[in-house]
Amino acid sequence: QVQLVESGGGLVQAGGSLRLSCAASGRTFSSYAMGWFRQAPGKEREGVACISSGHGDTYYADSVKGRFTISRDKAKNTVYLQMNRLKPEDTAVYYCAANFNPRELTDRRPIVDWWGQGTQVTVSS
């Protein structure tokens, strides 16, 4: 059974940092693109960042470029999202995703094979 379990969310002041982790189990994910999406209250889910399976190419939404960094540890089947200089508008539930086309990161409805349950990130002003 495939599972994606996120951790690392919480409450932080604006300008602070958090690191999210997504531990994958049930199969080896090294051959899949993995990434992070988020959904704020009253808004649609949006792509944040992803990392490809091969060369580890990374893709980011314009709103987080220069502040967020995605990385993966294939040996641990884990993907991370380092979030720096957080803003109140980054407040959302963050979801880990696996196996999708990185070019669909910012599409309205990307086709994703697996989703995590989500972890809340709240940034206070």
Side-chain angles (χ1 to χ4, degrees):
Q1 182 181 357
V2 172
Q3 274 194 316
L4 302 177
V5 180
E6 301 99 335
S7 61
L11 173 64
V12 65
Q13 287 188 331
S17 299
L18 284 174
R19 189 175 85 149
L20 305 183
S21 300
C22 172
S25 62
R27 64 177 60 198
T28 301
F29 283 80
S30 58
S31 60
Y32 300 136
M34 297 186 71
W36 294 90
F37 293 74
R38 67 186 182 187
Q39 187 167 18
K43 295 187 177 181
E44 291 191 343
R45 189 177 298 187
E46 63 175 358
V48 175
C50 67
I51 185 165
S52 68
S53 58
H55 297 290
D57 296 330
T58 56
Y59 305 81
Y60 297 94
D62 288 342
S63 59
V64 306
K65 280 181 182 176
R67 300 188 298 122
F68 291 10
T69 303
I70 189 170
S71 61
R72 69 191 301 169
D73 185 331
K74 290 185 177 181
K76 294 183 178 180
N77 244 7
T78 300
V79 65
Y80 305 96
L81 185 68
Q82 178 66 45
M83 305 185 295
N84 298 328
R85 303 202 311 273
L86 282 161
K87 305 175 181 180
E89 50 263 43
D90 294 318
T91 295
V93 177
Y94 283 70
Y95 297 91
C96 180
N99 200 20
F100 60 98
N101 186 340
R103 292 184 175 85
E104 295 182 3
L105 175 67
T106 55
D107 285 3
R108 187 175 180 186
R109 296 185 188 277
I111 299 173
V112 175
D113 277 355
W114 298 290
W115 293 98
Q117 293 296 313
T119 185
Q120 177 71 46
V121 171
T122 303
V123 184
S124 63
S125 57

